[in-house]
Amino acid sequence: MAEVLLFHHALGLTEAIGAFADGLRRSGHTVHVPDLYEGRTFEDLEAGAAYAQEVGFDVLTERGEKAAEGLPEKLVYAGFSLGVLPAQKLAQTRTGALGALLFSACVPVSTFGAAWPVSVPVQVHAMDADAYFVGDGDLDAARELVAGAGDRELFLYPGSSHLFAERGTTSYDAAAAGPCVERVLGFLGGLTV
């Protein structure tokens, strides 16, 4: 079974993030879910994003890196939206990364280095009409990341919800979340730990 470091989105460490982590745990995986917001949560993405800007994206990414300290090198890094920043940075730069799971966001590989590590498989999951993912350039970054690599996959689901995979949120989409979770579990189960 895999060990996962899962980072939350701009709403903070919500019950929905906890429920997603619990689902992975029920499948036998070890999941760590640090609180990058130090106890703050938000009801809407705009308020959460404003708080993230106030704190600073670099500071939040550093908090994610600190959360990895003391954990084994062989981790899968996962992040939802804002949480993709520390997840992607750690997957690209921390020795021993087993894989990456990026939900509803992806930044250009050049943000954290010259290239994506050849030995690190990745899945990117998003909705094909998500205004944040498509309009902010994340779709282009994801397509570039997976281009030409058999162990890097981009899954686009029909719809416009940003946080579609989290049961209990207003943007939850069961029709997309079901296949997304199945693919994530298949990815984790296929890793050599």
Side-chain angles (χ1 to χ4, degrees):
M1 294 292 117
E3 192 161 353
V4 180
L5 183 54
L6 174 64
F7 297 104
H8 63 74
H9 42 58
L11 298 179
L13 185 52
T14 61
E15 289 182 16
I17 287 286
F20 188 89
D22 287 343
L24 299 181
R25 289 181 185 114
R26 282 192 296 277
S27 294
H29 304 289
T30 300
V31 185
H32 307 275
V33 190
D35 186 352
L36 303 179
Y37 277 11
E38 300 176 332
R40 300 279 308 260
T41 58
F42 297 88
E43 294 295 320
D44 66 79
L45 284 173
E46 288 74 24
Y51 177 73
Q53 287 181 325
E54 179 184 315
V55 171
F57 296 113
D58 289 344
V59 170
L60 295 171
T61 301
E62 286 173 16
R63 288 178 184 172
E65 290 177 283
K66 286 182 181 166
E69 292 175 3
L71 294 176
E73 285 186 345
K74 293 184 181 252
L75 289 174
V76 174
Y77 300 100
F80 282 91
S81 190
L82 172 72
V84 162
L85 290 172
Q88 191 169 332
K89 182 172 185 180
L90 286 162
Q92 280 188 244
T93 63
R94 190 168 187 246
T95 302
L98 288 179
L101 294 163
L102 311 178
F103 301 94
S104 302
C106 185
V107 296
V109 170
S110 60
T111 304
F112 302 119
W116 187 265
V118 174
S119 62
V120 180
V122 62
Q123 284 187 348
V124 182
H125 299 268
M127 293 203 123
D128 62 2
D130 172 3
Y132 297 107
F133 187 76
V134 176
D136 291 347
D138 298 64
L139 176 57
D140 293 335
R143 285 183 171 145
E144 182 180 325
L145 171 60
V146 304
D151 62 351
R152 300 181 208 166
E153 298 176 284
L154 169 61
F155 297 103
L156 293 174
Y157 305 91
S160 60
S161 295
H162 188 58
L163 304 177
F164 70 94
E166 294 177 68
R167 187 181 305 274
T169 64
T170 56
S171 59
Y172 176 72
D173 186 318
C180 174
V181 170
E182 284 180 29
R183 288 171 173 147
V184 165
L185 291 175
F187 178 85
L188 294 175
L191 295 173
T192 305
V193 181

Short mmCIF file of all heavy atoms in Angstrom, two decimals, residues 157-185:
data_model
loop_
_atom_site.label_atom_id
_atom_site.label_comp_id
_atom_site.label_asym_id
_atom_site.label_seq_id
_atom_site.Cartn_x
_atom_site.Cartn_y
_atom_site.Cartn_z
N TYR A 157 -13.15 15.27 -17.09
CA TYR A 157 -14.52 14.81 -16.87
C TYR A 157 -15.47 15.90 -17.35
O TYR A 157 -15.17 17.09 -17.23
CB TYR A 157 -14.75 14.53 -15.38
CG TYR A 157 -13.73 13.56 -14.82
CD1 TYR A 157 -12.54 14.03 -14.24
CD2 TYR A 157 -13.92 12.19 -14.89
CE1 TYR A 157 -11.59 13.15 -13.74
CE2 TYR A 157 -12.98 11.30 -14.39
CZ TYR A 157 -11.81 11.78 -13.82
OH TYR A 157 -10.87 10.91 -13.33
N PRO A 158 -16.63 15.52 -17.91
CA PRO A 158 -17.57 16.54 -18.39
C PRO A 158 -18.16 17.33 -17.22
O PRO A 158 -18.59 16.75 -16.23
CB PRO A 158 -18.64 15.74 -19.12
CG PRO A 158 -18.48 14.32 -18.68
CD PRO A 158 -17.09 14.16 -18.18
N GLY A 159 -18.09 18.64 -17.33
CA GLY A 159 -18.68 19.50 -16.30
C GLY A 159 -17.81 20.70 -15.99
O GLY A 159 -16.72 20.86 -16.54
N SER A 160 -18.31 21.54 -15.08
CA SER A 160 -17.61 22.79 -14.78
C SER A 160 -17.26 22.95 -13.30
O SER A 160 -16.75 23.99 -12.92
CB SER A 160 -18.47 23.98 -15.23
OG SER A 160 -19.72 23.95 -14.55
N SER A 161 -17.52 21.96 -12.49
CA SER A 161 -17.23 22.07 -11.05
C SER A 161 -15.74 22.03 -10.80
O SER A 161 -15.02 21.25 -11.41
CB SER A 161 -17.89 20.93 -10.28
OG SER A 161 -19.30 21.04 -10.35
N HIS A 162 -15.30 22.85 -9.86
CA HIS A 162 -13.87 22.90 -9.55
C HIS A 162 -13.48 21.81 -8.55
O HIS A 162 -12.51 21.10 -8.76
CB HIS A 162 -13.50 24.29 -9.02
CG HIS A 162 -12.04 24.50 -8.85
ND1 HIS A 162 -11.14 24.39 -9.90
CD2 HIS A 162 -11.29 24.81 -7.76
CE1 HIS A 162 -9.91 24.64 -9.46
NE2 HIS A 162 -9.98 24.88 -8.16
N LEU A 163 -14.23 21.66 -7.50
CA LEU A 163 -13.93 20.66 -6.46
C LEU A 163 -14.90 19.49 -6.59
O LEU A 163 -15.56 19.10 -5.63
CB LEU A 163 -14.01 21.31 -5.07
CG LEU A 163 -13.10 22.53 -4.88
CD1 LEU A 163 -13.30 23.12 -3.49
CD2 LEU A 163 -11.64 22.17 -5.11
N PHE A 164 -14.93 18.90 -7.75
CA PHE A 164 -15.93 17.89 -8.09
C PHE A 164 -15.77 16.57 -7.35
O PHE A 164 -16.72 15.80 -7.24
CB PHE A 164 -15.88 17.62 -9.61
CG PHE A 164 -14.64 16.89 -10.05
CD1 PHE A 164 -14.64 15.52 -10.16
CD2 PHE A 164 -13.48 17.58 -10.36
CE1 PHE A 164 -13.51 14.83 -10.57
CE2 PHE A 164 -12.34 16.92 -10.76
CZ PHE A 164 -12.34 15.54 -10.87
N ALA A 165 -14.60 16.25 -6.84
CA ALA A 165 -14.33 14.92 -6.28
C ALA A 165 -14.56 14.82 -4.78
O ALA A 165 -14.33 13.77 -4.20
CB ALA A 165 -12.90 14.51 -6.61
N GLU A 166 -15.04 15.89 -4.16
CA GLU A 166 -15.19 15.89 -2.70
C GLU A 166 -16.65 15.80 -2.29
O GLU A 166 -17.39 16.77 -2.39
CB GLU A 166 -14.58 17.15 -2.13
CG GLU A 166 -13.08 17.20 -2.33
CD GLU A 166 -12.55 18.50 -1.82
OE1 GLU A 166 -12.58 18.70 -0.60
OE2 GLU A 166 -12.12 19.30 -2.65
N ARG A 167 -17.01 14.63 -1.81
CA ARG A 167 -18.36 14.41 -1.31
C ARG A 167 -18.63 15.41 -0.18
O ARG A 167 -17.79 15.64 0.68
CB ARG A 167 -18.49 12.99 -0.79
CG ARG A 167 -19.87 12.57 -0.39
CD ARG A 167 -19.89 11.14 0.13
NE ARG A 167 -19.33 10.20 -0.84
CZ ARG A 167 -20.01 9.62 -1.82
NH1 ARG A 167 -21.28 9.92 -1.99
NH2 ARG A 167 -19.43 8.76 -2.63
N GLY A 168 -19.81 16.00 -0.19
CA GLY A 168 -20.17 16.94 0.87
C GLY A 168 -19.99 18.39 0.49
O GLY A 168 -20.39 19.28 1.24
N THR A 169 -19.38 18.67 -0.65
CA THR A 169 -19.27 20.05 -1.11
C THR A 169 -20.38 20.33 -2.11
O THR A 169 -20.95 19.42 -2.71
CB THR A 169 -17.91 20.33 -1.78
OG1 THR A 169 -17.80 19.54 -2.97
CG2 THR A 169 -16.75 20.02 -0.86
N THR A 170 -20.69 21.60 -2.31
CA THR A 170 -21.75 21.97 -3.25
C THR A 170 -21.35 21.67 -4.69
O THR A 170 -22.21 21.54 -5.55
CB THR A 170 -22.10 23.46 -3.12
OG1 THR A 170 -20.91 24.23 -3.32
CG2 THR A 170 -22.68 23.77 -1.76
N SER A 171 -20.06 21.56 -4.95
CA SER A 171 -19.61 21.30 -6.33
C SER A 171 -19.34 19.82 -6.59
O SER A 171 -18.87 19.45 -7.67
CB SER A 171 -18.38 22.13 -6.66
OG SER A 171 -17.34 21.85 -5.77
N TYR A 172 -19.64 18.96 -5.62
CA TYR A 172 -19.43 17.52 -5.79
C TYR A 172 -20.23 17.01 -6.97
O TYR A 172 -21.40 17.35 -7.16
CB TYR A 172 -19.85 16.79 -4.51
CG TYR A 172 -19.76 15.29 -4.61
CD1 TYR A 172 -18.53 14.65 -4.63
CD2 TYR A 172 -20.90 14.50 -4.67
CE1 TYR A 172 -18.43 13.27 -4.72
CE2 TYR A 172 -20.82 13.12 -4.75
CZ TYR A 172 -19.59 12.52 -4.78
OH TYR A 172 -19.49 11.14 -4.86
N ASP A 173 -19.61 16.18 -7.78
CA ASP A 173 -20.24 15.59 -8.96
C ASP A 173 -20.00 14.09 -8.92
O ASP A 173 -18.92 13.61 -9.27
CB ASP A 173 -19.65 16.21 -10.23
CG ASP A 173 -20.34 15.76 -11.50
OD1 ASP A 173 -20.65 14.55 -11.63
OD2 ASP A 173 -20.57 16.60 -12.37
N ALA A 174 -21.00 13.34 -8.48
CA ALA A 174 -20.86 11.90 -8.29
C ALA A 174 -20.49 11.18 -9.58
O ALA A 174 -19.70 10.22 -9.56
CB ALA A 174 -22.15 11.31 -7.71
N ALA A 175 -21.02 11.64 -10.71
CA ALA A 175 -20.75 10.98 -11.98
C ALA A 175 -19.27 11.07 -12.36
O ALA A 175 -18.72 10.18 -13.00
CB ALA A 175 -21.61 11.58 -13.09
N ALA A 176 -18.61 12.14 -11.96
CA ALA A 176 -17.18 12.30 -12.23
C ALA A 176 -16.33 11.77 -11.09
O ALA A 176 -15.27 11.19 -11.31
CB ALA A 176 -16.85 13.77 -12.48
N ALA A 177 -16.80 11.96 -9.86
CA ALA A 177 -16.01 11.55 -8.70
C ALA A 177 -15.81 10.04 -8.65
O ALA A 177 -14.73 9.57 -8.28
CB ALA A 177 -16.67 12.04 -7.41
N GLY A 178 -16.83 9.28 -9.03
CA GLY A 178 -16.71 7.82 -9.00
C GLY A 178 -15.55 7.31 -9.84
O GLY A 178 -14.65 6.63 -9.32
N PRO A 179 -15.52 7.63 -11.13
CA PRO A 179 -14.39 7.19 -11.96
C PRO A 179 -13.06 7.79 -11.52
O PRO A 179 -12.02 7.14 -11.61
CB PRO A 179 -14.74 7.66 -13.38
CG PRO A 179 -16.17 8.03 -13.36
CD PRO A 179 -16.56 8.26 -11.94
N CYS A 180 -13.08 9.02 -11.02
CA CYS A 180 -11.85 9.65 -10.54
C CYS A 180 -11.26 8.84 -9.39
O CYS A 180 -10.07 8.50 -9.42
CB CYS A 180 -12.15 11.09 -10.09
SG CYS A 180 -10.76 11.93 -9.31
N VAL A 181 -12.08 8.51 -8.41
CA VAL A 181 -11.59 7.75 -7.26
C VAL A 181 -11.12 6.36 -7.69
O VAL A 181 -10.08 5.88 -7.22
CB VAL A 181 -12.67 7.67 -6.16
CG1 VAL A 181 -12.28 6.68 -5.07
CG2 VAL A 181 -12.92 9.06 -5.56
N GLU A 182 -11.83 5.73 -8.60
CA GLU A 182 -11.40 4.41 -9.11
C GLU A 182 -10.02 4.51 -9.74
O GLU A 182 -9.16 3.64 -9.52
CB GLU A 182 -12.40 3.87 -10.13
CG GLU A 182 -13.67 3.33 -9.51
CD GLU A 182 -14.63 2.80 -10.57
OE1 GLU A 182 -14.16 2.34 -11.64
OE2 GLU A 182 -15.85 2.86 -10.33
N ARG A 183 -9.80 5.54 -10.54
CA ARG A 183 -8.50 5.72 -11.20
C ARG A 183 -7.41 6.01 -10.18
O ARG A 183 -6.29 5.51 -10.31
CB ARG A 183 -8.59 6.83 -12.22
CG ARG A 183 -9.40 6.42 -13.46
CD ARG A 183 -9.68 7.59 -14.37
NE ARG A 183 -10.29 7.13 -15.61
CZ ARG A 183 -11.18 7.81 -16.30
NH1 ARG A 183 -11.58 9.01 -15.89
NH2 ARG A 183 -11.68 7.30 -17.42
N VAL A 184 -7.72 6.80 -9.18
CA VAL A 184 -6.75 7.11 -8.13
C VAL A 184 -6.36 5.84 -7.38
O VAL A 184 -5.17 5.57 -7.15
CB VAL A 184 -7.32 8.19 -7.16
CG1 VAL A 184 -6.49 8.25 -5.89
CG2 VAL A 184 -7.37 9.54 -7.85
N LEU A 185 -7.36 5.03 -7.01
CA LEU A 185 -7.07 3.79 -6.29
C LEU A 185 -6.27 2.83 -7.16
O LEU A 185 -5.36 2.14 -6.68
CB LEU A 185 -8.37 3.16 -5.79
CG LEU A 185 -9.08 3.92 -4.68
CD1 LEU A 185 -10.42 3.27 -4.34
CD2 LEU A 185 -8.21 4.05 -3.44
#
